[in-house]
Structures are given as C-alpha cells and as structure tokens.
Amino acid sequence: MAIHNRTLVTEFILLGIPNTEGQETLLFAVFLIFYLCTLLGNLLILLAVTSSSHLHTPMYFFLCNLSVLDIGFSSVSTPKLLAILLVRNRVISLGGCMAQVFFYHFLGSTECLLYTVMAYDRFAAICHPLRYTIIMNRRVCALLAAGTWFTSSFHATILTSLTFQLPYCGSNEVDYFFCDIFPVVKLACGDTFIIETVSFTNIGVVPMTCFLLILASYVRIVIAIVKMNSAEGRRKAASTCVSHLTVVTLFFGPCALVYTQPSLSEVLVTPVQLFGNVVTPMLNPTIYTLRNKDVKGALKKLVGGQVTSGEGH
C-alpha cells in the first residue's frame, strides 16, 4: 500500500549552492560575468580561426572543437544556476534533468577525449615533424574529431538511460545546483547498485585512460625536445605544449577530485565542481590566446577589419 500511495516524480527541485543565503545577487553577478566571458571568448576564437586561412591547421581545428565544447559545457548548468540565484526558480522538469545528465557527461567525455587527441597532435608535430602533414591530414583530423563526439554520445546515453530507468517515487529534492548522476540517484526508490557501479567504472575509466595516453604522449614529447639541437626549436616546441598542458590540468584536476573521492566533504565538492563548470570554460580561450601569437594576430585583424569596415560606412 505504501508504494501505491507514492506518486511518481515528474519534476525535481534543485537546492542550489549550499550556505549562500543572502549572497544570491552577488553570486548571480559573478557567474553571469563568467558565463558571458566564456561565450565571448570562445566565439572570438571560432571567428579568429575560421576567418584566418593560415590558422586552418589540425591544432586550430581541434581548438575550434574545444571552443564549441566549452560553450556547450558551461551552458549545461550555468543558465539554470543563474535562474536559481536570480528568481529562485529551483524547479526542473524530468526531461530537463535528463538533458542535464546527458549533455554534462556527453560534453565532458568529448572534452576529455579531445584533450587526448590534441596531445597526439602535439606528439605528431614535435616527434615526427617531416611526416606531420601526412599523419594529421584532413581526413584523419575529421575522423578523430567525429570519433570523440560519437564515442561520448554512446557513453552518455548508457549513463543517462541507467540513471532514469530507476523509479523515482519519493523525495524530488536534488541536493545540488544541477542534475548529475550521484545526487539524482540518491533519490531513487529502486536498487542503485548497477548504475553506481557502471558510473564509477565509466566515469573513472574514460578520464584515467585519457590521462595515461596524454602522459605517454608528453613523455615522448619531452624526450624529443631534450634531443633538439636548437635552443629556439626547444623553446618553440615547449611553448606550443604549455597551453595544452595548462587546460588539461584545469580539466583533470576537478574531475579527479569529484569522481575519485566520493567521500570528499560537501563543502569542497561544490566549489570544485563550480570551478570546472563555470570558470574553466572561461579560462581556456584566455590561456590559448595569451600564449599564442597567431591567434592574437588573427583576433587583431578581425577587430581591425571590423573597425575599418565601420569607419567606411
């Protein structure tokens, strides 16, 4: 009878960021600025690369993919978080919750795989410079990029299906600022062993495999740089890797903390996740443009061309 008296959940209530009462307006302003900077920065990189023919190389092709991912990844949770902070709209439909879980893991997994592909691109460029254009031809680049998106969509579909096949018939309050697997599964009425096991395995295996492949690439890259005779060649090769290594650290750091330490205190989990969801997508375009003369030059041409065009009118 107790089961029949329960109603199936059709919507969830996101409790938001804990211990922020009275600070909602300030947090709204901060996160809105971060989000707008993320959109603007990544759109500028996309415009700069597409408008400059000398940037039509594998490295910048993958950078464009990363910019698209950063725009999408930050858009999974930030708009809803802003709505929670501004108008206290904490309700999210079952479909909206499913979409957040799917796109969060789809885009996160794609980004993880893309960093691995970018590390392989740097490995090919530095360790096999004479064969680089053959190894990383257009067809290979397109297949590698498509592979990251396709594999991740399959990965996210499995996780989302397993999460929402469970019956939700009790509390509908998600103790988090967006729908992720672990906060949502806590509310399930059924046995959560399978989804918890699959989630820990999948979410752990994908980043760990990618991290090890990136590490292997950079071990080979460091060996190749050390063997170079030219100091200028060493400096240039190292410079092209620093930006990638920085964004990889920013991505895998929060990921490792959140998913390998499930017992991590709630006080630390939320700031770490907020950093990964809101701050990192904003920092990526900044990191790549600050250290890259070609991108900076293309952006200056883009802005200069628009100014000249405006003056002409």
Side-chain angles (χ1 to χ4, degrees):
M1 285 297 292
I3 294 171
H4 287 295
N5 286 337
R6 289 176 175 177
T7 55
L8 290 173
V9 170
T10 56
E11 62 185 25
F12 292 94
I13 296 167
L14 298 172
L15 297 184
I17 307 169
N19 308 315
T20 55
E21 290 77 11
Q23 301 171 36
E24 289 88 355
T25 306
L26 175 63
L27 288 171
F28 172 81
V30 170
F31 291 139
L32 179 63
I33 290 167
F34 281 161
Y35 185 53
L36 292 175
C37 288
T38 298
L39 297 179
L40 180 63
N42 285 292
L43 284 171
L44 281 174
I45 281 188
L46 285 169
L47 280 170
V49 174
T50 52
S51 65
S52 183
S53 58
H54 77 281
L55 294 183
H56 293 177
T57 63
M59 185 171 84
Y60 297 110
F61 169 69
F62 294 128
L63 182 56
C64 282
N65 274 263
L66 181 61
S67 290
V68 171
L69 283 169
D70 280 333
I71 290 169
F73 193 67
S74 63
S75 299
V76 171
S77 58
T78 309
K80 185 61 186 176
L81 175 59
L82 292 173
I84 292 170
L85 292 169
L86 184 66
V87 294
R88 313 295 188 268
N89 179 13
R90 300 177 185 276
V91 177
I92 185 168
S93 67
L94 179 62
C97 194
M98 288 174 73
Q100 279 197 333
V101 170
F102 174 80
F103 283 105
Y104 181 73
H105 289 280
F106 167 48
L107 297 170
S109 175
T110 307
E111 191 153 338
C112 188
L113 292 169
L114 186 66
Y115 285 136
T116 312
V117 169
M118 291 171 86
Y120 175 70
D121 172 62
R122 293 298 82 212
F123 160 74
I126 293 166
C127 298
H128 303 285
L130 300 177
R131 294 173 51 221
Y132 176 64
T133 52
I134 299 167
I135 295 168
M136 299 299 290
N137 60 59
R138 285 192 175 189
R139 185 169 174 272
V140 169
C141 290
L143 284 171
L144 285 170
T148 63
W149 291 88
F150 178 76
T151 305
S152 299
S153 65
F154 182 68
H155 167 79
T157 301
I158 292 171
L159 292 177
T160 308
S161 300
L162 286 170
T163 302
F164 291 96
Q165 275 178 359
L166 293 166
Y168 292 92
C169 47
S171 170
N172 67 339
E173 292 188 344
V174 178
D175 191 15
Y176 216 41
F177 63 95
F178 76 105
C179 286
D180 196 7
I181 292 170
F182 300 120
V184 171
V185 163
K186 283 181 186 176
L187 307 176
C189 309
D191 182 13
T192 61
F193 176 75
I194 292 174
I195 177 60
E196 286 177 353
T197 305
V198 171
S199 297
F200 271 118
T201 306
N202 278 18
I203 294 167
V205 167
V206 172
M208 184 55 69
T209 304
C210 291
F211 180 75
L212 291 173
L213 288 170
I214 291 168
L215 191 63
S217 295
Y218 273 101
V219 167
R220 294 287 302 277
I221 287 168
V222 168
I223 292 168
I225 290 173
V226 169
K227 286 181 178 178
M228 286 179 182
N229 297 321
S230 163
E232 177 62 22
R234 283 198 296 269
R235 189 200 62 78
K236 193 174 180 182
S239 179
T240 63
C241 297
V242 169
S243 299
H244 181 249
L245 275 173
T246 307
V247 295
V248 163
T249 306
L250 287 171
F251 178 82
F252 282 99
C255 191
L257 278 172
V258 171
Y259 291 109
T260 62
Q261 301 293 326
S263 58
L264 199 65
S265 69
E266 289 182 11
V267 177
L268 191 55
V269 165
T270 305
V272 166
Q273 194 78 301
L274 279 168
F275 182 83
N277 289 19
V278 180
V279 183
T280 302
M282 179 195 71
L283 291 177
N284 284 355
T286 310
I287 291 163
Y288 271 102
T289 50
L290 284 177
R291 293 195 56 85
N292 195 302
K293 290 179 183 177
D294 292 333
V295 175
K296 282 195 282 190
L299 283 171
K300 282 178 184 175
K301 277 186 181 178
L302 190 68
V303 174
Q306 287 178 345
V307 169
T308 308
S309 174
E311 287 174 353
H313 287 296

